[in-house]
Amino acid sequence: MPHVPTVAIVDDDEAVREALGDLLMVSGLACHCFESAADFLAARRSRRFDCLVTDIRMPGMNGIELIERLHDERARMPVVVLSSVLDEQTRMRALALGARAWLAKPVTDAHLLGALASAMGSAGPDTGR
C-alpha cells in the first residue's frame, strides 16, 4: 500500500483549518489540524508529518518562531507558509529559515496544492524529532 503523505496544518482560525483540511483530504492527502504551534509540536513527538502548512500571526508561538524551532532542531519537514502577512522582512526570514513557499491568503486551491507537491517532492523524511 503506497504511503499517503500527511500534512500538518497550524492556524488559529478554525474556518481556515477546516477548509484546508477538506481540500487536502479530497486531494488524496491525509492531514491533521492544530490551532497552535504548541499543539503541533506536542503531536510531532509521536507522529510523522510529511509537510507543514502554517500561518504566521497566531497567539502564543507565531509561525516564524515555529519555523525557527524546526530549523534549530534540524527538522527536514518542508514548510509552506500561508498567511495574510504582507511584510517582506517576515517573508524573507521564513524563506531564509527554510520555508519552501510563502503563499498569501487567500490562495487558489491549485496554487496551494502545487506548492505542497513541490515542497514534498524535494524533501527527505523528517528525522529531526
Side-chain angles (χ1 to χ4, degrees):
M1 182 178 227
H3 171 72
V4 175
T6 302
V7 178
I9 299 168
V10 180
D11 197 305
D12 60 316
D13 186 325
E14 182 178 5
V16 170
R17 289 192 311 271
E18 287 180 7
L20 291 176
D22 289 347
L23 171 65
L24 297 183
M25 286 192 297
V26 299
S27 299
L29 299 169
C31 72
H32 291 279
C33 297
F34 303 94
E35 69 178 312
S36 73
D39 290 346
F40 163 72
L41 290 170
R44 187 170 171 266
R45 290 186 204 119
S46 61
R47 292 185 186 155
R48 180 184 184 277
F49 298 103
D50 297 291
C51 191
L52 168 65
V53 176
T54 185
D55 191 10
I56 292 297
R57 281 194 198 125
M58 298 181 291
M61 181 184 295
N62 68 38
I64 291 294
E65 292 166 332
L66 174 56
I67 296 167
E68 287 173 341
R69 173 90 170 260
L70 294 173
H71 180 265
D72 291 348
E73 293 176 3
R74 298 186 191 280
R76 296 187 64 201
M77 176 185 0
V79 176
V80 173
V81 175
L82 179 60
S83 182
S84 58
V85 173
L86 300 176
D87 179 61
E88 184 63 16
Q89 285 185 316
T90 303
R91 185 183 81 81
M92 294 303 293
R93 177 74 178 140
L95 295 173
L97 287 166
R100 305 291 172 92
W102 178 285
L103 306 175
K105 289 179 184 176
V107 66
T108 65
D109 294 353
H111 197 179
L112 175 60
L113 293 172
L116 288 172
S118 177
M120 288 188 286
S122 62
D126 179 21
T127 57
R129 280 184 253 248

